[in-house]
Amino acid sequence: MEFSTGFGWTRLPVLAAAFILGSVLTVSAQIIPPFSAAAPDDQAETEATETAVVPDVNDPDILKGIDVDKLDWSQLAVDAGTGNDAMAAKKRAQAAAKDGLNWSSNANANGSSAVTVKQSVSSFWDARIGADMTVTSEPRTMSELLAQKATNGGSLPQSSGSAWAAATAPGAGSIWDKTAVEARVDPGAEQSKIGASLIKSVPLSSDTSLTLQNGYSVNQQGTTAMPGIGGHVTRNYETDQTAKVTLTDTGTSITAGQSLSTTDDKWLRKVGAEQKLFDNVTVSGSVGETSQGAINKSLTAGFKKSW
């Protein structure tokens, strides 16, 4: 950038330094030294030193021909602490990553990979979009082909994926706190789902809280139309009710709930618990009924880390 006066940007620091030096010398010349009982020789030496540093009125004006009002002094306003603040730099990087795509990948036991990608669309209702995919790799050798078939019961794993969108909206006053809405589409399986949950949190004590949730969803399953045979679409309506008690001090949560769908003729109940062992590691277990009458039991351990 060049100024109309002909001074280049590279001369601006020199100009600023000269201007500041001239101002300091002028101010120092106007300061009256305090009374001192120094010896005559010392006083004479002091006066000679002060006289030597006073600028001469005949010195050339370094600002001659320059319009100071047109100089962009904001270019010199640099916060020296910002460049050295590692925490501020980390927060800026996290904010930038939050606005962009967030990828994660986990290896499955059958040799495929579970890939998840999501992105924030709007912070107004915490709107997000994303996709959950199962990615398989093509076998490169005959040994890899046989190993994949042996792992997957004689067949090769297939890639699949589903796209989803979710948003969290405010509730309705004191009736419920927030509303969660989610829609999911799986083109490969020709399935789609849209659901909404009403969530209400009630504090029971200083370290105990109760969360109530009512969910409603519609599942649609379609079949591809073939020559001479039209496509067929079936819909299944589901509702679920869940109560969760959380103990903050111990990191324990206990869940009890029930669900009902149009394909079942009775409520299916389920209870579970989750315990936080230490940082980022949790163990959870659940026992629930199935539509066939058998009991479904599960015990899982998880590790979650965000950076």
Side-chain angles (χ1 to χ4, degrees):
M1 178 178 61
E2 294 187 358
F3 297 94
S4 59
T5 57
F7 279 81
W9 170 251
T10 57
R11 298 184 181 181
L12 183 55
V14 179
L15 177 62
F19 178 74
I20 295 173
L21 178 60
S23 302
V24 172
L25 295 179
T26 304
V27 173
S28 62
Q30 297 176 354
I31 298 177
I32 302 177
F35 175 77
S36 175
D41 294 341
D42 295 340
Q43 184 176 2
E45 183 178 356
T46 303
E47 292 177 355
T49 303
E50 293 179 354
T51 303
V53 298
V54 174
D56 191 353
V57 295
N58 296 323
D59 290 343
D61 187 4
I62 61 176
L63 297 178
K64 183 178 180 180
I66 297 178
D67 189 354
V68 181
D69 295 334
K70 295 182 178 180
L71 296 180
D72 187 8
W73 297 101
S74 63
Q75 299 293 336
L76 301 178
V78 179
D79 186 3
T82 303
N84 299 326
D85 191 354
M87 294 300 297
K90 183 178 180 181
K91 291 180 179 179
R92 289 194 300 269
Q94 291 176 346
K98 183 178 180 181
D99 296 334
L101 290 175
N102 185 5
W103 292 81
S104 62
S105 177
N106 295 311
N108 296 327
N110 61 355
S112 62
S113 298
V115 180
T116 300
V117 56
K118 60 182 178 179
Q119 182 178 16
S120 176
V121 178
S122 174
S123 59
F124 178 66
W125 273 5
D126 190 20
R128 309 170 303 280
I129 59 174
D132 298 329
M133 298 168 286
T134 299
V135 181
T136 60
S137 60
E138 294 293 335
R140 293 168 294 183
T141 62
M142 182 59 66
S143 59
E144 290 184 0
L145 176 62
L146 296 177
Q148 289 188 8
K149 286 187 175 182
T151 306
N152 295 275
S155 61
L156 291 176
Q158 300 296 323
S159 298
S160 61
S162 61
W164 55 266
T168 303
S174 60
I175 302 177
W176 70 85
D177 298 333
K178 59 182 179 180
T179 305
V181 181
E182 181 178 358
R184 181 178 294 271
V185 177
D186 187 346
E190 298 185 355
Q191 293 179 348
S192 61
K193 177 180 180 180
I194 183 171
S197 299
L198 309 180
I199 304 171
K200 174 69 174 180
S201 296
V202 180
L204 301 179
S205 64
S206 59
D207 59 348
T208 306
S209 62
L210 172 63
T211 302
L212 303 176
Q213 177 173 329
N214 286 345
Y216 309 90
S217 63
V218 179
N219 297 274
Q220 179 173 295
Q221 176 70 56
T223 57
T224 305
M226 301 178 63
I229 303 176
H232 180 66
V233 177
T234 59
R235 293 183 177 88
N236 179 29
Y237 300 88
E238 295 182 357
T239 180
D240 62 85
Q241 302 171 351
T242 305
K244 180 179 180 180
V245 177
T246 303
L247 307 177
T248 307
D249 290 347
T250 61
T252 305
S253 60
I254 302 173
T255 305
Q258 58 181 2
S259 61
L260 177 65
S261 66
T262 54
T263 57
D264 302 324
D265 57 354
K266 63 177 181 179
W267 287 92
L268 302 179
R269 296 172 177 82
K270 181 180 179 179
V271 294
E274 181 177 288
Q275 177 63 52
K276 182 178 180 181
L277 300 181
F278 45 88
D279 291 342
N280 307 317
V281 177
T282 59
V283 175
S284 60
S286 63
V287 178
E289 298 176 338
T290 62
S291 58
Q292 293 78 18
I295 300 299
N296 183 20
K297 303 177 182 179
S298 66
L299 179 63
T300 59
F303 173 82
K304 184 178 181 180
K305 177 67 175 178
S306 301
W307 61 88

